[in-house]
Amino acid sequence: MKVALAHDFLVKLGGAERVLKVFADLYPEAPIFTLFYDEKAVGTTFPKERIRGLPLQKIYSLSGRRQRFLLPLMDFGVERLDMTGYDLILSSNTALIHGIVPTTHQKHICYCHSPARYIWDYYHPYKKEARLNGLTGMIITRYLHNLRMWDRAAVSRVDTWIANSRNVQKRIRKYFRSPSHLIYPPVDVERFTVQQNHENYFLVVSTLTTFKRLDIAIELFNRIGRKLVIIGDGPERERLEQMSEKNIEFLGYQSDAMVKEYMEHCRAFLFLSDDDFGIAPVEAMSCGKPVIALARGGALETVFPGVTGELFKDQNPESLEAGLVRFFLHEKSYDAADIRAHAERFDQVVFIEKIKDIIEQHGRA
């Protein structure tokens, strides 16, 4: 069986790209089709010789590697990806890659991290954040409407959907009217070591964007004076650094080895956004560390109050502070071994076994 892999675009290494890496290791001969590619950012994980397609690569380079400028071309780019000659298309979908046009003999199994949030459940907040006003706003709003129609029609090109969480299963059912299998993303639990002690800092590992809402942690930790370490980079970094006091440390992008070191020695891990699933919190649990998370999205499937951490209700400093207070009240009762055992439910070995089962059942013409 000839297999082709597909992913929307490869310009960073995040949770979705970790899933693709497992697919790539599972099928080492399979090419990876994508819209555009940043070798400097991902080349060590996804070598250039495996990359195919790239219909938007020249425009991506000319735009100064600003992928948001390519949004109006992405549906067009997806339909230009020619995978003729392969029996199985296995896609890792963060936006629109499920819209690949298959031949009649091909099977398309799509692992969905989420239907594109900027045209579905996050549509109205996205418009406000992007300040889509005036004539430009009208044009983009109309385009997003048309993209929703294209996206909905493209659903029929997928033979089997896999959701990365119950949270995403609900979105697939709501927006695509399709059933899906549930397979949680892979976490390399064995890479982490349980540490009973800590160095009295709280940790965030995240891209620095408005959606991730790091501002609420910064506001709170500015006020209470406790040490907060932030690992990650992004367009919001300068603004967030400017609003931070000296007890908040920004480390920028760090290697997996350095992230592991900080996770193993933190007091607790903070997860502040409404994410599809959230691999980083489970990685922290692999170190036996509690997680303080927003009570929305995928965190509701991994963080259990008083056992693996605490939840806070609203995205504001006051609600986060209430969650932090509950953490201090329960801190002595958390059991690092129990937290680690919970993380093992999401180990990549479990993921691979389930993916293989789905491919065996649904991947042959």
Side-chain angles (χ1 to χ4, degrees), residues 163-216:
N164 80 346
S165 60
R166 288 194 295 271
N167 178 40
V168 169
Q169 264 191 322
K170 292 178 182 177
R171 292 185 205 149
I172 292 172
R173 186 166 56 246
K174 173 72 173 179
Y175 301 122
F176 293 169
R177 296 292 190 260
S178 294
S180 60
H181 301 271
L182 170 62
I183 303 179
Y184 288 112
V187 179
D188 189 1
V189 175
E190 293 304 313
R191 190 167 65 86
F192 299 91
T193 303
V194 173
Q195 297 288 342
Q196 299 288 347
N197 300 319
H198 63 77
E199 296 181 8
N200 200 26
Y201 61 85
F202 293 82
L203 178 66
V204 172
V205 178
S206 174
T207 53
L208 307 187
T209 62
T210 54
F211 175 76
K212 297 297 185 179
R213 293 306 309 272
L214 273 73
D215 57 309
I216 66 174

Side-chain angles (χ1 to χ4, degrees), residues 310-358:
E310 300 298 334
L311 296 169
F312 63 96
K313 185 178 179 181
D314 299 308
Q315 281 180 314
N316 59 55
E318 295 74 25
S319 186
L320 175 58
E321 184 173 27
L324 194 61
V325 168
R326 289 191 293 274
F327 163 78
F328 289 131
L329 288 173
H330 295 147
E331 188 171 16
K332 291 183 179 180
S333 66
Y334 295 123
D335 186 288
D338 287 347
I339 295 174
R340 165 72 176 221
H342 176 73
E344 288 172 350
R345 295 175 50 206
F346 306 98
D347 189 74
Q348 65 179 5
V349 174
V350 177
F351 174 85
I352 290 170
E353 289 176 353
K354 291 185 176 181
I355 286 291
K356 285 181 175 179
D357 285 344
I358 293 292

Side-chain angles (χ1 to χ4, degrees), residues 237-282:
R237 180 172 178 176
E238 183 178 354
R239 183 182 75 87
L240 295 172
E241 284 187 317
Q242 288 176 351
M243 65 183 287
S244 299
E245 300 293 343
K246 293 181 179 180
N247 57 301
I248 300 174
E249 184 177 2
F250 287 78
L251 300 184
Y253 172 81
Q254 295 293 324
S255 66
D256 285 350
M258 189 61 71
V259 171
K260 172 181 180 291
E261 181 76 13
Y262 274 88
M263 280 187 171
E264 289 176 349
H265 294 93
C266 71
R267 188 168 182 176
F269 187 87
L270 304 184
F271 192 62
L272 309 164
S273 59
D274 177 3
D275 266 34
D276 312 318
F277 174 72
I279 289 178
V282 181

Side-chain angles (χ1 to χ4, degrees), residues 38-58:
D38 189 331
E39 186 176 9
K40 184 178 179 180
V42 303
T44 56
T45 303
F46 303 105
K48 187 175 182 179
E49 55 267 23
R50 290 194 68 175
I51 306 302
R52 303 286 189 277
L54 303 177
L56 304 181
Q57 186 68 22
K58 288 184 180 179

Side-chain angles (χ1 to χ4, degrees), residues 121-154:
D121 64 311
Y122 201 67
Y123 169 66
H124 293 292
Y126 169 76
K127 285 180 60 181
K128 289 178 182 177
E129 286 179 12
R131 298 177 182 177
L132 300 181
N133 302 313
L135 180 59
T136 301
M138 291 175 63
I139 293 170
I140 295 177
T141 297
R142 185 62 186 178
Y143 168 73
L144 294 177
H145 167 79
N146 292 337
L147 187 57
R148 272 193 299 276
M149 301 304 102
W150 178 92
D151 197 38
R152 184 67 184 84

